[in-house]
Amino acid sequence: MKIKGESYRSVWVDRDDGFSVRIFDQTRLPWSLDILRLQTHEEVATAIATMQVRGAPLIGAVAAYGLALALRRDSDSDAMERDAAMLAATRPTAINLRWAIQRMLERLRNTRPADRVRIAYEEAALICDEDVAQNEAIGRHGLTLIEDIATAKRARGDEGPVRLLTHCNAGWIATVDWGTALAPIYMAHDKGIPLQVWVDETRPRNQGAALTAWELGSHGVAHTVVSDNAGGHLMQRGDVDLVIVGTDRVTRDGDVANKIGTYLKALAAHDNRVPFWVALPSTTIDWTVRDGLAEIPIEERAPEEVTHIVGRDENGTVRSVQVTPDGTAASNPAFDVTPARLVTGLLTERGACAASPEGLASLFPERSDWTRPRSDHAPSGRSAETNQAG
Ligand code: MRU
């Protein structure tokens, strides 16, 4: 993506020293564009845990470079396994993190310690390149979806823009490039399809208000930030043609973990017959789990993210202010699980499919060998009416 005419990815190796890892400090956006230089795997772990770098695909890619940094210090097998485990534990919900570390270990385990640093940098670069290609493909498949909606609107005599709603930030800054949910939006905009994007602010950390609004604004896409509570009302009024979100982990049955509040948007979309699509690279599918509610760990973050809010004051200083009475208890689950039955479809690099075992198996037949039965935990309503395509 371009910032002021210059092309960037969200992570890259420093061109001067050839080893340190460069990222944008996402806790400083949209107020300033600070580039961090991470020189150790401990710094990478801190950047992931504090969300200086965030978004499921991006934390996987950065963690892969984190392992390369760790190997620069100690490339022994024991140290490699220990440092890999430390990096994998920095955030629990997004499966891309564990996927990337696992892929790195599989590539590195049977190599000589003396070769490992070079191989690790090469493998991390491959992970990054593949992420970019996958997200671009997601964008192309999602573009078709938006084009179809635009055509249907015209056929009804509706000359207005395609109105999308998105939650959190699943844009280029959450991936190595392009984004997942935002990739089709960028492509549709570039193709001249008029769009209007409702951007959920996404409390408590405001990834929508801060990051998605910044990304869309930088690209010239028309957008409006709304409070998290507004989505249902907008859908009831007929002001949303399509909801599209990213995800941190999809089960092989099609359940979707994403930023807290996504489930409520899916419920509102279902009630109002608004298509609810989830965009993901296949690195976000956890083939080892079926029941999202029972099996996906939900990250619990610091209560201060709820009791306080960060913003820029009238003097231009970025500050955190308290919004609750002193001593108020707060709980901060960072993700929720949307059951597959509320998901109209999944958009992957291989195309669109139903959020179901059959749908995923149709796109990824090489993974259809997994036979573990679904766990007993079945939330009521799972057999209720669905919001699925077809
Ligand atoms: O806590 P975050 O900001 O890392 O959560 C990010 C999300 O929930 C995104 O929607 C998801 O990672 C998809 S990013 C392409």
Side-chain angles (χ1 to χ4, degrees):
M1 281 289 149
K2 289 202 161 107
I3 302 174
K4 295 189 177 128
E6 204 176 328
S7 286
Y8 284 93
R9 284 184 172 186
S10 300
V11 56
W12 67 97
V13 175
D14 188 277
R15 283 153 203 123
D16 294 328
D17 68 25
F19 78 91
S20 59
V21 178
R22 295 288 197 165
I23 55 164
F24 296 106
D25 182 349
Q26 298 197 32
T27 64
R28 299 285 301 161
L29 285 168
W31 308 288
S32 67
L33 191 63
D34 296 351
I35 293 174
L36 296 178
R37 179 175 176 225
L38 309 174
Q39 300 184 71
T40 66
H41 63 288
E42 289 94 346
E43 286 177 3
V44 166
T46 301
I48 295 172
T50 61
M51 293 176 63
Q52 287 174 313
V53 68
R54 49 150 293 286
L58 184 58
I59 57 178
V62 174
Y65 278 120
L67 190 56
L69 289 173
L71 290 166
R72 290 184 81 239
R73 188 185 299 164
D74 190 340
S75 59
D76 263 14
S77 295
D78 286 352
M80 180 173 76
E81 298 290 338
R82 179 200 62 217
D83 295 337
M86 186 276 272
L87 285 163
T90 46
R91 292 193 75 189
T93 303
I95 195 64
N96 306 61
L97 178 58
R98 262 156 295 278
W99 169 85
I101 292 292
Q102 194 54 37
R103 170 164 158 172
M104 294 289 286
L105 288 175
E106 277 166 19
R107 178 73 187 84
L108 289 159
R109 275 185 185 130
N110 292 323
T111 58
R112 291 186 312 142
D115 296 331
R116 282 181 177 157
V117 172
R118 174 184 55 78
I119 294 171
Y121 275 97
E122 285 170 5
E123 195 66 14
L126 270 180
I127 287 174
C128 288
D129 290 346
E130 287 171 18
D131 185 63
V132 177
Q134 287 171 337
N135 296 328
E136 190 179 359
I138 290 168
R140 284 198 304 274
H141 297 301
L143 170 62
T144 309
L145 199 65
I146 295 174
E147 283 174 329
D148 288 349
I149 292 172
T151 305
K153 281 171 79 91
R154 299 292 165 272
R156 294 196 302 270
D158 180 346
E159 295 300 321
V162 176
R163 297 150 313 166
L164 304 105
L165 183 140
T166 191
H167 191 71
C168 194
N169 170 263
W172 71 267
I173 197 84
T175 64
V176 180
D177 206 349
W178 279 109
T180 56
L182 295 196
I185 293 176
Y186 290 131
M187 289 189 190
H189 172 83
D190 292 349
K191 239 190 141 183
I193 299 174
L195 304 176
Q196 163 62 38
V197 184
W198 301 110
V199 178
D200 284 348
E201 62 176 347
T202 320
R203 273 286 278 156
R205 292 189 65 103
N206 285 333
Q207 290 95 327
L211 303 174
T212 301
W214 174 73
E215 277 197 32
L216 293 176
S218 308
H219 202 83
V221 182
H223 64 282
T224 304
V225 174
V226 289
S227 77
D228 287 327
N229 300 321
H233 167 70
L234 294 172
M235 290 186 229
Q236 277 181 322
R237 263 193 349 201
D239 288 341
V240 181
D241 299 311
L242 168 68
V243 179
I244 185 164
V245 298
T247 170
D248 292 79
R249 193 184 305 208
V250 170
T251 71
R252 64 183 296 119
D253 282 4
D255 292 344
V256 170
N258 193 45
K259 182 53 54 191
I260 193 79
T262 302
Y263 170 51
L264 286 175
K265 295 297 135 54
L267 283 172
H270 180 257
D271 196 41
N272 292 283
R273 305 211 179 287
V274 175
F276 182 94
W277 283 81
V278 179
L280 62 139
S282 53
T283 52
T284 304
I285 304 168
D286 183 348
W287 298 98
T288 71
V289 298
R290 306 196 73 149
D291 184 337
L293 267 181
E295 299 182 89
I296 297 178
I298 298 296
E299 178 178 14
E300 186 75 33
R301 292 189 61 87
E304 287 73 25
E305 293 182 353
V306 176
T307 58
H308 290 63
I309 194 161
V310 177
R312 186 173 61 189
D313 69 16
E314 64 277 11
N315 301 316
T317 307
V318 175
R319 295 198 297 137
S320 170
V321 294
Q322 186 177 323
V323 291
T324 53
D326 289 343
T328 301
S331 165
N332 188 10
F335 298 92
D336 59 26
V337 174
T338 298
R341 68 185 167 82
L342 298 177
V343 178
T344 306
L346 304 173
L347 270 176
T348 78
E349 71 270 18
R350 293 196 191 170
C353 70
S356 67
E358 299 76 23
L360 282 166
S362 72
L363 289 184
F364 301 94
E366 71 275 22
R367 307 309 301 250
S368 59
D369 57 341
W370 186 264
T371 51
R372 188 163 71 85
R374 191 179 182 102
S375 76
D376 287 334
H377 180 105
S380 61
R382 188 168 285 283
S383 60
E385 186 191 355
T386 77
N387 194 28
Q388 297 197 325

